[in-house]
Amino acid sequence: MWPVEREPSYEALFTRGTAHRVRLWDLRVTWAAFVVLLVLLGANLALWWQTRSQIRAEQEALFDRAVSSVLTRLERHIRHHEEIARSVQGLYTNFVQVVRDVFELYATVPARSNPAVLSVAYAPCVESEQLGNYLHYARSERYWEYRIFPSETVPYLFPLLYVVPTDSAPQWVEWNAIAHPAWRDAIERAYSTGSITATPWIPLRADRDTVWGFGLVAPIYRTEPHPFSRLRVGDRFVEGVIVLELAGKPLFQNALLPPAPTDSLIVFEGFDVQPASGEETHTVRIVASPNWEAGNREAPLLVAERSLRLGDRNLRLRFATVPAFEGLYQRWLPWAVLGGGIALSAIGFGFVLSLVTTRARPLALAGQMTRAQRRILEASQDIIAVWEVDGRWRTSNPALQAVLGFEPEELAGKPVEELVVPSYREQVRQQIASAPDEEAVIVEVPMWTKTGQQRWIGWNLTRSLQDGLIYAIGRDITAQKELQRQQEVARRQLMLAQQWALEASEFKADFLSRLGFQLRNGLTGLVGFAELIAQRQYASEEELRDYVAAIREGAEYLLGIVAETPEIAVTVTEQPVAVASILGELVAEAERLGIQLCTSIPSEAEATEIGVQASLFREGLSTLLQALSAGGVRGR
């Protein structure tokens, strides 16, 4: 431990300096002046209060008008979008059955005319036992490849069947909305309460730019059981729900267009209150006025909170005045009145007061400065420490305990490098030894906490040879280091993904080239054998069967190539196809293209069948004939 220098404390100096203060006034002499002073001050305070109250009343009235204007437009805009959901809901109330064309006809106009509407969809209620019947019905509505995702085994599913705008339908049709926890909660509340419900503030699109917003859910009921569900609420059966996706940013921006003159006087931000663990809740910021950052630089003059209803959710809006809300005249008029009165009242006492308090004022100022510096030192979140030149702890502020877990007294006289991770100790030792005099040096090292954890500390060291000390300021930069590490990992992952994409592109080009070569060769052989059969260029029925077998083998070979082609889902189903039928189609197609083939079909071929996928086989022969026609083939 270092020797403690004995010197009087600042509190002792302040007490010693102020203990012999002279009494300021002798009331036996100055009582009349004090009476006048009190009367003038009382009158000035009354006038100041009246002026200030009148100005504040005018400011509050103006503030309330601005808040009401914004709130009214937001409520009107939200009610408009809720009416969209109700209008589509009413479509199912007025019609016994709504097919796809009718839904798209009624829902497309509101979906495209409102920028905040991402999509309007209909999701029927489907029991898991009726899933097969529902899939058959969905495919009959021209969704040929209808597949429900995600596929969860639950009592009831709510897959999207109709979606507008139709350009977004391919990626959202088939989506099981009840699989998402937020949507599930909204759907269950909707058909249980019979009213429009809303999801929390959630990401609706997760593309390149994530789109956040709300989802509105409107229930649809039937008096009789639904073909795919018997879910019942009271005396009604649940048919499904109408789902309306609202993008948050255009929803609030368009509500305030065109802006009102009073919009520039306030700033506001909106929050969605969402449940957390247990009975706790947390607020999510969903909207802020365009001037929020500029208007939130200082404490507002007036603040108000309002609720905004969206479906069955209460959104909380916080309004505040802008810094320039209170004009210079309004701000300083009451104080000018008060200041003028106080100045007139205090002129007679100013000189005497300054003489009496001349000696006490410097001491009070010194004490205030010392206390302010001590508060800053104790309240700082950074470690402010003093080290010996050889790197031993001398003293530190309380932030040492908050960051590393040690009390300043625990480390007094101990080497700093004991807390440094061993692999960085030599680096710290060298940097301290080579630090220039009276110049700041930045050192970033991982250090051990009292609990054995590692935390990165960024030290700003100033070595003073004159004082024989090192002044150190340390800041916890663990989060910054972790962010740098994550950014480096993300950069490397991106480079690896780019390399994989390049290799996949090269493989695809090479594969398609080889596939085209194999298809051309195979189809040429098929047409050749078909031409021999069509022209009866065979010596016996056995040779004819050989030609037919060769055609079948070639077709199976081409079918195998097509079926194994990646990224294309092909279901190969072989079925017996008559050779005579294929030859007849081949001759008709050749005549249409101007190629002369033998028009008579051998009797031996009429009873011959081959097992192939008819559509692919015919498509291959047709493609080959078109290639021959393009190459100028016209004769037999």
Side-chain angles (χ1 to χ4, degrees):
M1 296 294 290
W2 58 91
V4 179
E5 298 180 4
R6 296 185 177 277
E7 58 183 11
S9 64
Y10 290 107
E11 287 80 6
L13 290 174
F14 181 77
T15 303
R16 186 185 308 168
T18 57
H20 305 286
R21 284 185 178 179
V22 179
R23 298 183 65 179
L24 299 180
W25 299 282
D26 187 354
L27 295 181
R28 291 175 300 178
V29 178
T30 60
W31 66 270
F34 275 104
V35 170
V36 174
L37 176 64
L38 292 176
V39 171
L40 292 176
L41 288 178
N44 288 326
L45 286 174
L47 183 59
W48 169 81
W49 180 259
Q50 182 179 2
T51 305
R52 187 172 179 270
S53 299
Q54 183 177 357
I55 294 176
R56 179 56 63 93
E58 295 175 356
Q59 292 171 345
E60 290 176 352
L62 182 60
F63 177 71
D64 289 339
R65 287 198 300 270
V67 171
S68 299
S69 175
V70 172
L71 197 62
T72 301
R73 284 177 286 164
L74 287 175
E75 290 177 345
R76 183 169 59 248
H77 198 63
I78 288 177
R79 297 293 87 78
H80 170 71
H81 287 82
E82 290 179 349
E83 287 301 323
I84 295 176
R86 289 191 179 92
S87 64
V88 181
Q89 180 188 31
L91 181 65
Y92 285 82
T93 304
N94 298 327
F95 293 87
V96 176
Q97 183 178 6
V98 179
V99 296
R100 176 180 175 181
D101 294 337
V102 175
F103 181 88
E104 293 178 353
L105 177 64
Y106 279 84
T108 299
V109 173
R112 294 190 179 278
S113 59
N114 294 276
V117 178
L118 292 180
S119 68
V120 181
Y122 162 66
C125 179
V126 180
E127 293 181 357
S128 56
E129 292 82 2
Q130 299 294 330
L131 186 58
N133 295 334
Y134 170 73
L135 291 176
H136 178 74
Y137 173 79
R139 291 165 184 167
S140 69
E141 287 287 316
R142 304 192 304 280
Y143 297 117
W144 315 119
E145 299 294 334
Y146 194 91
R147 301 281 192 279
I148 295 178
F149 71 95
S151 57
E152 291 188 1
T153 305
V154 292
Y156 297 95
L157 293 80
F158 285 81
L160 302 189
L161 181 59
Y162 306 143
V163 178
V164 293
T166 55
D167 51 0
S168 64
Q171 56 181 328
W172 290 108
V173 170
E174 311 169 354
W175 178 59
N176 184 16
I178 205 169
H180 192 285
W183 285 99
R184 179 190 300 116
D185 184 57
I187 291 173
E188 291 176 352
R189 294 198 319 270
Y191 69 68
S192 298
T193 61
S195 59
I196 294 180
T197 60
T199 65
W201 180 262
I202 58 175
L204 300 178
R205 298 288 186 272
D207 299 328
R208 180 178 301 176
D209 296 324
T210 303
V211 179
W212 290 78
F214 297 95
L216 295 181
V217 179
I220 303 173
Y221 300 97
R222 296 169 61 100
T223 56
E224 298 295 331
H226 194 270
F228 310 116
S229 170
R230 301 184 66 85
L231 178 61
R232 185 171 183 174
V233 178
D235 58 347
R236 298 180 297 181
F237 294 88
V238 178
E239 178 178 353
V241 294
I242 297 298
V243 175
L244 182 67
E245 291 181 299
L246 298 178
K249 185 175 182 179
L251 176 67
F252 293 104
Q253 285 182 347
N254 294 335
L256 303 179
L257 295 178
T262 56
D263 289 355
S264 60
L265 301 177
I266 60 173
V267 296
F268 70 91
E269 59 180 349
F271 301 90
D272 180 27
V273 181
Q274 299 180 0
S277 60
E279 298 181 358
E280 299 180 355
T281 60
H282 70 279
T283 57
V284 179
R285 190 168 184 246
I286 60 176
V287 65
S289 59
N291 60 342
W292 172 258
E293 296 298 335
N296 200 32
R297 295 176 182 173
E298 59 186 55
L301 181 65
L302 298 173
V303 176
E305 286 192 1
R306 298 289 188 272
S307 294
L308 182 63
R309 190 78 172 175
L310 175 62
D312 62 341
R313 298 190 69 81
N314 282 323
L315 308 181
R316 192 173 66 189
L317 298 178
R318 180 179 182 272
F319 296 88
T321 56
V322 297
F325 180 83
E326 186 180 28
L328 192 62
Y329 171 80
Q330 293 178 336
R331 176 179 299 179
W332 293 110
L333 179 59
W335 299 105
V337 173
L338 181 62
I342 294 176
L344 293 176
S345 304
I347 288 177
F349 298 92
F351 181 71
V352 176
L353 184 60
S354 64
L355 292 178
V356 175
T357 59
T358 297
R359 187 171 180 270
R361 188 178 297 126
L363 293 177
L365 180 60
Q368 291 176 0
M369 293 176 60
T370 302
R371 289 193 296 272
Q373 293 173 356
R374 184 173 299 172
R375 291 192 187 99
I376 294 174
L377 186 67
E378 294 177 352
S380 175
Q381 299 297 321
D382 296 338
I383 302 174
I384 302 176
V386 178
W387 299 347
E388 301 290 350
V389 176
D390 58 359
R392 289 181 293 110
W393 291 93
R394 184 167 183 179
T395 184
S396 175
N397 67 334
L400 178 65
Q401 197 277 335
V403 177
L404 297 179
F406 295 96
E407 294 291 343
E409 294 78 9
E410 297 182 59
L411 300 180
K414 296 182 179 180
V416 176
E417 64 181 30
E418 287 185 359
L419 300 183
V420 179
V421 173
S423 59
Y424 285 82
R425 290 178 180 176
E426 183 63 27
Q427 174 186 346
V428 173
R429 192 180 300 114
Q430 293 178 0
Q431 288 181 326
I432 292 178
S434 61
D437 186 30
E438 301 295 343
E439 292 186 13
V441 176
I442 304 298
V443 179
E444 296 180 354
V445 292
M447 304 186 71
W448 297 108
T449 66
K450 190 173 183 178
T451 59
Q453 298 179 345
Q454 285 189 18
R455 302 196 72 84
W456 279 87
I457 307 297
W459 291 102
N460 188 318
L461 306 179
T462 302
R463 183 184 183 192
S464 176
L465 297 179
Q466 181 179 358
D467 299 340
L469 299 172
I470 297 176
Y471 301 98
I473 300 177
R475 173 167 295 181
D476 187 354
I477 59 172
T478 305
Q480 177 182 346
K481 286 292 184 180
E482 179 63 20
L483 178 60
Q484 292 176 357
R485 186 190 68 80
Q486 293 178 0
Q487 290 176 345
E488 178 63 20
V489 171
R491 185 186 66 82
R492 295 191 179 188
Q493 290 176 346
L494 179 59
M495 293 177 60
L496 182 59
Q498 291 175 346
Q499 182 65 26
W500 286 353
L502 181 59
E503 293 177 359
S505 178
E506 294 176 354
F507 170 78
K508 181 179 179 181
D510 179 67
F511 175 78
L512 292 178
S513 176
R514 290 187 287 105
L515 178 62
F517 176 77
Q518 295 292 339
L519 289 176
R520 287 194 298 271
N521 287 348
L523 290 175
T524 302
L526 290 178
V527 173
F529 283 113
E531 182 70 16
L532 291 177
I533 294 175
Q535 296 181 3
R536 299 188 178 184
Q537 293 184 9
Y538 50 87
S540 63
E541 184 176 352
E542 182 178 357
E543 186 176 356
L544 172 62
R545 286 194 295 271
D546 291 340
Y547 289 169
V548 173
I551 291 174
R552 177 177 181 178
E553 291 177 359
E556 291 176 348
Y557 172 70
L558 294 179
L559 181 61
I561 293 176
V562 173
E564 295 176 0
T565 301
E567 300 181 2
I568 302 177
V570 179
T571 303
V572 180
T573 304
E574 294 187 0
Q575 56 184 1
V577 179
V579 174
S581 175
I582 296 176
L583 294 178
E585 295 177 3
L586 180 64
V587 171
E589 180 68 15
E591 291 179 354
R592 188 182 65 80
L593 297 174
I595 301 175
Q596 298 295 326
L597 297 178
C598 179
T599 57
S600 60
I601 300 175
S603 59
E604 298 85 347
E606 294 180 354
T608 304
E609 294 181 345
I610 59 176
V612 296
Q613 188 179 12
S615 60
L616 292 178
F617 188 69
R618 290 186 176 90
E619 184 178 353
L621 294 180
S622 176
T623 303
L624 181 59
L625 286 176
Q626 293 176 2
L628 293 175
S629 175
V633 178
R634 291 292 183 269
R636 288 181 175 270

